[in-house]
Short mmCIF file of all heavy atoms in Angstrom, two decimals:
data_model
loop_
_atom_site.label_atom_id
_atom_site.label_comp_id
_atom_site.label_asym_id
_atom_site.label_seq_id
_atom_site.Cartn_x
_atom_site.Cartn_y
_atom_site.Cartn_z
N LYS C 1 0.76 12.58 14.50
CA LYS C 1 0.62 13.99 14.18
C LYS C 1 -0.73 14.26 13.53
O LYS C 1 -1.33 13.34 12.94
CB LYS C 1 1.71 14.47 13.26
CG LYS C 1 3.10 14.15 13.73
CD LYS C 1 4.14 14.57 12.70
CE LYS C 1 5.58 14.23 13.16
NZ LYS C 1 6.57 14.55 12.11
N ALA C 2 -1.17 15.50 13.58
CA ALA C 2 -2.43 15.87 12.94
C ALA C 2 -2.42 15.55 11.45
O ALA C 2 -3.43 15.17 10.87
CB ALA C 2 -2.74 17.32 13.11
N GLU C 3 -1.24 15.62 10.84
CA GLU C 3 -1.01 15.35 9.42
C GLU C 3 -1.28 13.88 9.07
O GLU C 3 -1.38 13.49 7.90
CB GLU C 3 0.36 15.76 8.95
CG GLU C 3 0.71 17.19 9.25
CD GLU C 3 1.39 17.36 10.60
OE1 GLU C 3 2.67 17.22 10.55
OE2 GLU C 3 0.74 17.50 11.62
N ASP C 4 -1.29 12.99 10.12
CA ASP C 4 -1.53 11.59 9.90
C ASP C 4 -3.03 11.28 9.74
O ASP C 4 -3.37 10.15 9.45
CB ASP C 4 -0.97 10.79 11.03
CG ASP C 4 0.58 10.85 11.16
OD1 ASP C 4 1.20 10.82 10.11
OD2 ASP C 4 1.07 11.00 12.30
N THR C 5 -3.86 12.22 9.96
CA THR C 5 -5.34 12.07 9.83
C THR C 5 -5.66 11.60 8.42
O THR C 5 -5.28 12.32 7.44
CB THR C 5 -6.06 13.32 10.23
OG1 THR C 5 -5.85 13.62 11.63
CG2 THR C 5 -7.57 13.14 9.94
N ALA C 6 -6.28 10.51 8.24
CA ALA C 6 -6.65 9.99 6.97
C ALA C 6 -7.42 8.71 7.14
O ALA C 6 -7.53 8.13 8.21
CB ALA C 6 -5.35 9.71 6.14
N VAL C 7 -7.96 8.23 6.03
CA VAL C 7 -8.48 6.85 6.01
C VAL C 7 -7.29 5.94 5.54
O VAL C 7 -6.63 6.19 4.58
CB VAL C 7 -9.64 6.67 4.97
CG1 VAL C 7 -10.02 5.27 4.90
CG2 VAL C 7 -10.81 7.57 5.38
N TYR C 8 -7.07 4.96 6.36
CA TYR C 8 -5.94 4.00 6.14
C TYR C 8 -6.47 2.76 5.50
O TYR C 8 -7.41 2.11 5.96
CB TYR C 8 -5.21 3.72 7.47
CG TYR C 8 -4.33 4.84 7.87
CD1 TYR C 8 -4.89 6.04 8.31
CD2 TYR C 8 -2.94 4.75 7.81
CE1 TYR C 8 -4.04 7.09 8.73
CE2 TYR C 8 -2.15 5.80 8.20
CZ TYR C 8 -2.69 6.92 8.67
OH TYR C 8 -1.85 8.00 9.07
N TYR C 9 -5.82 2.34 4.42
CA TYR C 9 -6.25 1.19 3.61
C TYR C 9 -5.13 0.11 3.67
O TYR C 9 -3.97 0.39 3.51
CB TYR C 9 -6.44 1.58 2.14
CG TYR C 9 -7.58 2.50 1.92
CD1 TYR C 9 -7.38 3.89 1.94
CD2 TYR C 9 -8.88 2.08 1.73
CE1 TYR C 9 -8.39 4.80 1.75
CE2 TYR C 9 -9.92 2.97 1.53
CZ TYR C 9 -9.65 4.33 1.53
OH TYR C 9 -10.67 5.18 1.33
N CYS C 10 -5.57 -1.09 3.86
CA CYS C 10 -4.73 -2.26 3.70
C CYS C 10 -4.79 -2.76 2.26
O CYS C 10 -5.86 -2.75 1.65
CB CYS C 10 -5.25 -3.34 4.69
SG CYS C 10 -4.37 -4.96 4.59
N ALA C 11 -3.65 -3.17 1.74
CA ALA C 11 -3.63 -3.66 0.35
C ALA C 11 -2.69 -4.87 0.28
O ALA C 11 -1.80 -5.04 1.02
CB ALA C 11 -3.14 -2.54 -0.60
N ALA C 12 -2.99 -5.67 -0.74
CA ALA C 12 -2.16 -6.93 -0.93
C ALA C 12 -1.82 -7.04 -2.42
O ALA C 12 -2.63 -6.72 -3.27
CB ALA C 12 -2.94 -8.13 -0.48
N LYS C 13 -0.63 -7.54 -2.67
CA LYS C 13 -0.17 -7.81 -4.02
C LYS C 13 0.32 -9.26 -4.08
O LYS C 13 1.05 -9.68 -3.20
CB LYS C 13 0.97 -6.88 -4.38
CG LYS C 13 1.55 -7.23 -5.80
CD LYS C 13 2.67 -6.28 -6.21
CE LYS C 13 3.27 -6.72 -7.55
NZ LYS C 13 2.22 -6.75 -8.63
N LYS C 14 -0.17 -9.96 -5.06
CA LYS C 14 0.30 -11.31 -5.20
C LYS C 14 1.75 -11.37 -5.52
O LYS C 14 2.27 -10.62 -6.32
CB LYS C 14 -0.44 -12.04 -6.38
CG LYS C 14 -1.94 -12.22 -6.13
CD LYS C 14 -2.57 -12.92 -7.30
CE LYS C 14 -4.04 -13.24 -7.03
NZ LYS C 14 -4.72 -13.86 -8.15
N ARG C 15 2.49 -12.20 -4.86
CA ARG C 15 3.94 -12.36 -4.95
C ARG C 15 4.67 -11.22 -4.24
O ARG C 15 4.09 -10.21 -3.93
CB ARG C 15 4.40 -12.42 -6.41
CG ARG C 15 3.74 -13.53 -7.21
CD ARG C 15 4.23 -13.59 -8.64
NE ARG C 15 3.53 -14.60 -9.41
CZ ARG C 15 2.40 -14.44 -10.01
NH1 ARG C 15 1.71 -13.30 -9.90
NH2 ARG C 15 1.87 -15.39 -10.68
N TYR C 16 5.93 -11.43 -4.00
CA TYR C 16 6.70 -10.45 -3.32
C TYR C 16 7.23 -9.39 -4.27
O TYR C 16 7.91 -9.66 -5.27
CB TYR C 16 7.94 -11.12 -2.66
CG TYR C 16 7.71 -11.68 -1.30
CD1 TYR C 16 6.46 -11.86 -0.71
CD2 TYR C 16 8.81 -12.06 -0.47
CE1 TYR C 16 6.27 -12.39 0.50
CE2 TYR C 16 8.63 -12.63 0.81
CZ TYR C 16 7.36 -12.75 1.30
OH TYR C 16 7.17 -13.29 2.51
N LEU C 17 6.93 -8.14 -3.96
CA LEU C 17 7.46 -7.00 -4.76
C LEU C 17 7.36 -5.77 -3.85
O LEU C 17 6.43 -5.04 -3.90
CB LEU C 17 6.66 -6.79 -6.02
CG LEU C 17 7.28 -5.79 -7.00
CD1 LEU C 17 8.67 -6.21 -7.39
CD2 LEU C 17 6.39 -5.67 -8.26
N LEU C 18 8.38 -5.66 -3.00
CA LEU C 18 8.34 -4.62 -1.96
C LEU C 18 8.23 -3.18 -2.52
O LEU C 18 7.65 -2.33 -1.85
CB LEU C 18 9.66 -4.72 -1.16
CG LEU C 18 9.73 -3.86 0.16
CD1 LEU C 18 8.70 -4.40 1.12
CD2 LEU C 18 11.10 -3.89 0.71
N LEU C 19 8.72 -2.98 -3.72
CA LEU C 19 8.70 -1.63 -4.29
C LEU C 19 7.51 -1.45 -5.23
O LEU C 19 7.48 -0.48 -5.99
CB LEU C 19 9.98 -1.39 -5.05
CG LEU C 19 11.26 -1.43 -4.20
CD1 LEU C 19 12.48 -1.17 -5.08
CD2 LEU C 19 11.20 -0.40 -3.04
N ALA C 20 6.53 -2.29 -5.21
CA ALA C 20 5.36 -2.20 -6.09
C ALA C 20 4.69 -0.82 -5.90
O ALA C 20 4.47 -0.37 -4.73
CB ALA C 20 4.36 -3.28 -5.80
N PRO C 21 4.31 -0.19 -6.99
CA PRO C 21 3.58 1.06 -6.86
C PRO C 21 2.11 0.86 -6.47
O PRO C 21 1.65 -0.29 -6.44
CB PRO C 21 3.63 1.63 -8.29
CG PRO C 21 3.72 0.38 -9.18
CD PRO C 21 4.57 -0.59 -8.36
N ILE C 22 1.42 1.88 -6.15
CA ILE C 22 0.06 1.72 -5.63
C ILE C 22 -0.84 0.97 -6.67
O ILE C 22 -1.70 0.20 -6.25
CB ILE C 22 -0.57 3.10 -5.29
CG1 ILE C 22 -1.86 2.95 -4.57
CG2 ILE C 22 -0.67 4.01 -6.54
CD1 ILE C 22 -2.39 4.26 -3.96
N ASP C 23 -0.65 1.25 -7.92
CA ASP C 23 -1.49 0.52 -8.87
C ASP C 23 -1.05 -0.86 -9.18
O ASP C 23 -1.65 -1.58 -9.97
CB ASP C 23 -1.59 1.32 -10.23
CG ASP C 23 -0.22 1.59 -10.88
OD1 ASP C 23 0.76 1.10 -10.35
OD2 ASP C 23 -0.21 2.21 -11.97
N GLY C 24 0.02 -1.32 -8.51
CA GLY C 24 0.48 -2.71 -8.63
C GLY C 24 -0.17 -3.64 -7.64
O GLY C 24 0.01 -4.85 -7.69
N TYR C 25 -0.90 -3.07 -6.70
CA TYR C 25 -1.60 -3.92 -5.70
C TYR C 25 -2.91 -4.46 -6.19
O TYR C 25 -3.65 -3.79 -6.94
CB TYR C 25 -1.79 -3.12 -4.38
CG TYR C 25 -0.58 -2.99 -3.54
CD1 TYR C 25 0.44 -2.10 -3.90
CD2 TYR C 25 -0.38 -3.82 -2.44
CE1 TYR C 25 1.60 -2.06 -3.16
CE2 TYR C 25 0.74 -3.71 -1.67
CZ TYR C 25 1.74 -2.81 -2.04
OH TYR C 25 2.90 -2.73 -1.25
N ASP C 26 -3.15 -5.73 -5.87
CA ASP C 26 -4.26 -6.47 -6.49
C ASP C 26 -5.54 -6.36 -5.65
O ASP C 26 -6.67 -6.43 -6.21
CB ASP C 26 -3.90 -7.91 -6.66
CG ASP C 26 -2.65 -8.09 -7.53
OD1 ASP C 26 -2.77 -7.72 -8.70
OD2 ASP C 26 -1.68 -8.64 -7.03
#
């Protein structure tokens, strides 16, 4: 959809934490 227009970022967090907030990514 047009609303999907954005810059998409890949991020990684050490260890498994599926519910990690955005500031939890390393």
Side-chain angles (χ1 to χ4, degrees):
K1 306 174 181 179
E3 307 92 89
D4 296 317
T5 295
V7 176
Y8 283 70
Y9 297 90
C10 175
K13 176 179 176 58
K14 293 181 178 179
R15 304 180 182 84
Y16 274 13
L17 190 59
L18 191 66
L19 300 179
I22 188 169
D23 60 1
Y25 282 77
D26 301 299

